[in-house]
Amino acid sequence: MPGRAIPAYITSLIRHFEDLRDGTHGGSASRKDKEAHFEKEVQLLAPVARQVLTEMNTSLLLDTGQLTETGLRRTADGGVNASWALSWPEQRAAGVQPIVLQAYFGAGFHHPHLRGTTVHDWPLNVFSDEDAAAQLSILRAIASSDLHNLVFRADYRIVPAVTAHPATKLRERT
């Protein structure tokens, strides 16, 4: 690919595989230093995660959703995670989980990952604002896949935009 920029998702995979090869994350080998990198990653990723869930709330949930976030927290297994969740009345009534974007660094892991409610394990390698912004398409894919899987677990009626507007009206809005 001479003269072409490497796509962000490829860069993320390369970093991930190099981390596995080297036993590092962000150049750090100790768990303490890796967790310090993770804390910064969560801070950089937070606005992007909120953007994705806000887009879904606006366009699909017709602003009926509620966005919550945990901030950085220690997990029962000794790992660290942070999550951003979008819940809404129809989802709660159907008894399915909300859409969740989660950054997590499991206790036995060499490096952190991203995941959703139903979609798991994408490498998390964010070290700058640019890296965080490049995760937008990945977080959109995770959240969209989660919503698809939640509809499969319940049904299409958990999506207000689908029940509130005929398909032709939806196409006109876009």
Side-chain angles (χ1 to χ4, degrees), residues 38-39 50 61 64 84 95 108 124 128-129 137 145 148 158 172:
F38 179 70
E39 183 174 358
R50 286 191 292 267
L61 307 181
T64 63
W84 302 266
L124 177 56
S128 68
D129 289 330
S137 62
S145 295
H148 171 265
I158 70 169
E172 290 170 6

Side-chain angles (χ1 to χ4, degrees), residues 121-145:
D121 300 339
W122 182 259
L124 177 56
N125 291 287
V126 172
F127 303 109
S128 68
D129 289 330
E130 294 78 20
D131 288 343
Q135 299 304 301
L136 181 61
S137 62
I138 292 165
L139 291 176
R140 282 176 172 155
I142 291 170
S144 297
S145 295

Side-chain angles (χ1 to χ4, degrees), residues 21-85:
R21 179 194 65 205
D22 301 340
T24 61
H25 180 64
S28 296
S30 76
R31 179 69 189 203
K32 180 181 176 185
D33 290 343
K34 289 178 185 181
E35 284 187 8
H37 279 294
F38 179 70
E39 183 174 358
K40 180 68 174 168
E41 285 177 298
V42 166
Q43 292 169 5
L44 291 167
L45 198 61
V48 183
R50 286 191 292 267
Q51 176 185 339
V52 168
L53 295 178
T54 298
E55 290 169 356
M56 294 189 86
N57 183 39
T58 300
S59 298
L60 293 168
L61 307 181
L62 306 179
D63 290 319
T64 63
Q66 179 181 7
L67 176 63
T68 57
E69 51 189 290
T70 64
L72 199 63
R73 62 186 179 180
R74 185 73 52 191
T75 61
D77 73 350
V80 188
N81 78 1
S83 64
W84 302 266

Side-chain angles (χ1 to χ4, degrees), residues 146-162:
D146 258 357
L147 183 58
H148 171 265
N149 293 340
L150 294 172
V151 164
F152 182 72
R153 290 179 180 179
D155 71 29
Y156 70 89
R157 289 176 282 223
I158 70 169
V159 183
V162 175

